Amino acid sequence: MRKKKTRLISHSSVIKDRAFQVWVCETKPCYNCSVTKNNINYSQIQFHHLQGKYRLGMAMRNDAMGIPMCYPCHSIFQKRGERLYWEEIGIDPGIYAQELWEEWLERKQ
């Protein structure tokens, strides 16, 4: 009889920090097109939770794995599919997301 592999997800590993999301959107430019909040008046910078390997499963979103995106870029990602886009341009947004989270933790100290 084959053993079934199970993956346990610890709810303590899910980071939910609304203040972090606000800070990212207020201070950082769109990761995709580099537009800043001050340069646009028709849309806003939104917090985008990374998909694919950065998701914890069961649609749980970890705030530590998010990046700022303007509304036009965010809507394109939602329609087109994020994984394919990152693969095509050869960028790993997870590195930037980790840098943002580390910067936030340093600011809080």
Side-chain angles (χ1 to χ4, degrees), residues 23-30 35-37 45 68 96 100 103:
W23 174 77
V24 167
C25 295
E26 292 287 324
T27 61
K28 303 299 179 186
C30 174
V35 72
T36 63
K37 182 181 176 196
I45 302 295
Y96 182 60
L100 288 174
E103 183 180 342

Side-chain angles (χ1 to χ4, degrees), residues 47-109:
F47 191 82
H48 174 72
H49 291 93
L50 297 177
Q51 308 290 315
K53 65 182 178 180
Y54 304 108
R55 221 180 236 175
L56 298 172
M58 300 185 320
M60 286 192 284
R61 294 180 174 150
N62 187 348
D63 288 348
M65 294 307 293
I67 57 175
M69 297 194 83
C70 66
Y71 179 77
C73 291
H74 200 207
S75 63
I76 289 169
F77 271 48
Q78 302 251 329
K79 291 176 187 170
R80 183 162 182 248
E82 174 182 352
R83 288 182 232 168
L84 178 62
Y85 179 81
W86 294 129
E87 287 175 11
E88 285 176 356
I89 62 173
I91 293 177
D92 183 4
I95 296 168
Y96 182 60
Q98 288 174 344
E99 289 172 3
L100 288 174
W101 180 249
E102 289 169 8
E103 183 180 342
W104 171 251
L105 292 178
E106 288 175 13
R107 290 177 55 87
K108 285 177 62 172
Q109 292 179 357

